Amino acid sequence: MYGKEAQVPGQADVTSPFAPQAQAPAAACAPVPSAGQYPTWEKLPKQTTLPDPWLPLAYTTTDSEGGSSPNFASDVMAGKGKNRIQTPEEWYQCRQPEILQMLQEYQYGYYPDHSQETVKATRSGNTVNIEVSAGGKTGKFSATLSLPSVKPAPVVINIGGMSNQPYLQAGIAVVGFDYTRVAPDSNGKTGAFWDLYNGRDIGVLTAWAWGFHRVLDALNQTVPEIDASRVGVTGCSRLGKAALAAGLLDKRITLTMPMSSGVQGLGPYRYHGLSGQDETLENSKSGAGWWTDKTLGTFVNHAENLPYDAHTIAAAIAPRALVIDQGTGDQFTNSKGTSVIVYPAAKLVYDWLGVPDQIAMSVRGGGHCDMSGFNSVLPFVTKILQNQTITKDYNDLGSYGSPMTTTYPWATAVPKA
């Protein structure tokens, strides 16, 4: 199962700030399985608490050293597993790339190799037409620009619409694109992404993430009024799940802004019933199986065997910025679980990496995809994209109170950075 250290396909845009120097040997990383050869749920311990983000997959499986011990699962959950990551350098060289590949294997499907694509963009007024070619095939879609008076401006790319005016007034450009022209929210294989990649086991969330990235390519080519080195991505609900994937899979994204994203976004697979409609892996995979790859479906009724949870996705974005939106009146997603479990667990990794101010939790009143969410996160957006000084405390979990630290017992065993 485990072979040579694997490259993450199509991940040229995901890098580490701790790139090894020429004179220093790279860390000896844990072995990573080849694509399609990852351990099935039967080979993974049942973890009733959030998995330890510092434990490589190779030392999590029940056939690894000590895996047959009756204490193996409890040790793994408590941060007592063998060969844990010990330094930020080791995280960026070994663990972060491993997580990116693991998430593509188990959840997203493998992102296409962008080096094999050609992107052509043309602009007509506030419309940018995008044409992507690969393997003799071509997919087309477009994006719409809303530009502030001050230029060049940072930009937030969104799908599904957002509260534009406060952002424009703050000097932030807003760009939207029709995600259904990239891939439909169904099993249908129409749209620009499937015109190129039909036949691959890739989730629609990944297809929409690819759309964000190709829009950014087009902005770089055709819109000098935008500073494409300062980029946020956002969407709400299923589109928030896609924005999360977009931020995860492209290092050019400065700020990831998932709104009311729920399960398969930043809602936990474990502890799923704290608020909302008890959104689970099972009911989300049953209702919209196309969002993620087929492999994730093999964990239906075995979600606690997944070697990751939503905090792992969030942590893998570091050191880049992440702001998480949830409303206390959200009738669908598990806002409380995201706020008191996923966020503080991910923040431990951000803190350990020395970037505690790059992750934020925006707990607001209001319901699912309430447009007030965009206003609630805006101060943090201006901090990240415009270097503004802000006073709002994004570590305040509001009426949810304090983090549920019992849900991530490895918090007492954070490696010494």
Side-chain angles (χ1 to χ4, degrees):
M1 180 181 294
Y2 288 89
K4 294 181 179 178
E5 209 180 307
Q7 294 284 325
V8 181
Q11 292 310 305
D13 288 321
V14 176
T15 63
S16 157
F18 286 96
Q21 301 299 312
Q23 69 271 24
C29 299
V32 176
S34 302
Q37 300 298 312
Y38 275 64
T40 60
W41 71 265
E42 295 96 337
K43 295 290 186 181
L44 294 162
K46 184 176 181 178
Q47 299 189 60
T48 55
T49 56
L50 297 190
D52 178 0
W54 287 281
L55 185 62
L57 180 64
Y59 309 114
T60 306
T61 58
T62 54
D63 58 1
S64 63
E65 182 184 354
S68 59
S69 164
N71 297 323
F72 181 70
S74 59
D75 285 348
V76 163
M77 289 187 284
K80 299 177 182 177
K82 299 179 184 296
N83 302 307
R84 298 172 80 221
I85 297 295
Q86 295 299 317
T87 66
E89 291 83 359
E90 192 181 1
W91 173 275
Y92 287 122
Q93 291 174 13
C94 300
R95 182 61 174 154
Q96 185 183 57
E98 179 190 26
I99 292 171
L100 288 167
Q101 174 149 328
M102 177 177 71
L103 291 171
Q104 289 176 90
E105 173 74 27
Y106 283 134
Q107 179 156 319
Y108 292 115
Y110 283 95
Y111 191 93
D113 183 355
H114 180 49
S115 70
Q116 302 302 308
E117 297 176 345
T118 301
V119 180
K120 290 170 56 180
T122 57
R123 179 179 175 184
S124 176
N126 287 327
T127 300
V128 177
N129 295 302
I130 304 161
E131 184 176 300
V132 187
S133 300
K137 302 173 182 177
T138 299
K140 300 178 181 180
F141 67 110
S142 63
T144 302
L145 312 174
S146 296
L147 301 173
S149 56
V150 178
K151 306 176 186 71
V155 62
V156 172
I157 306 170
N158 81 94
I159 51 177
M162 61 178 286
S163 182
N164 287 17
Q165 282 307 314
Y167 285 74
L168 295 171
Q169 290 167 7
I172 299 169
V174 176
V175 173
F177 68 96
D178 182 352
Y179 61 93
T180 66
R181 295 285 303 276
V182 174
D185 187 13
S186 71
N187 277 316
K189 300 301 181 184
T190 58
F193 184 82
W194 297 121
D195 287 345
L196 299 179
Y197 300 115
N198 193 4
R200 299 194 188 187
D201 181 18
I202 298 175
V204 166
L205 301 181
T206 308
W208 292 336
W210 175 91
F212 278 101
H213 303 155
R214 305 293 74 82
V215 168
L216 182 53
D217 294 338
L219 297 179
N220 272 311
Q221 291 182 26
T222 63
V223 190
E225 300 98 319
I226 286 176
D227 177 358
S229 69
R230 295 180 288 157
V231 184
V233 290
T234 195
C236 195
S237 195
R238 66 198 185 284
L239 309 181
K241 307 178 205 296
L244 177 67
L248 175 73
L249 295 171
D250 194 326
K251 71 165 188 183
R252 297 175 300 169
I253 307 305
T254 317
L255 171 61
T256 304
M257 305 161 54
M259 319 290 284
S260 305
S261 61
V263 159
Q264 301 184 36
L266 289 181
Y269 290 116
R270 298 157 176 89
Y271 307 103
H272 45 74
L274 295 183
S275 69
Q277 65 177 5
D278 195 15
E279 193 182 28
T280 64
L281 170 62
E282 288 73 30
N283 58 39
S284 63
K285 199 64 177 163
S286 172
W290 52 84
W291 286 342
T292 45
D293 67 9
K294 293 177 182 175
T295 306
L296 188 59
T298 66
F299 284 84
V300 165
N301 300 320
H302 306 288
E304 290 183 332
N305 294 85
L306 281 167
Y308 67 94
D309 211 310
H311 69 300
T312 319
I313 304 174
I317 292 173
R320 293 176 293 116
L322 170 67
V323 60
I324 307 164
D325 160 81
Q326 291 292 153
T328 56
D330 191 324
Q331 68 272 43
F332 299 117
T333 68
N334 183 6
S335 289
K336 185 173 183 179
T338 297
S339 301
V340 303
I341 296 175
V342 174
Y343 164 70
K347 192 176 188 307
L348 282 172
V349 179
Y350 271 78
D351 291 350
W352 178 75
L353 291 171
V355 287
D357 60 344
Q358 296 295 296
I359 185 170
M361 184 70 229
S362 178
V363 179
R364 55 170 172 80
H368 189 66
C369 292
D370 190 320
M371 282 290 175
S372 68
F374 291 105
N375 293 330
S376 183
V377 302
L378 181 55
F380 190 77
V381 177
T382 66
K383 171 187 169 179
I384 298 300
L385 298 186
Q386 297 173 308
N387 201 30
Q388 297 288 325
T389 299
I390 65 173
T391 57
K392 183 170 180 176
D393 180 7
Y394 283 99
N395 206 36
D396 181 355
L397 304 182
S399 61
Y400 290 139
S402 302
M404 289 179 60
T405 55
T406 55
T407 64
Y408 45 98
W410 41 262
T412 60
V414 173
K416 305 296 183 188

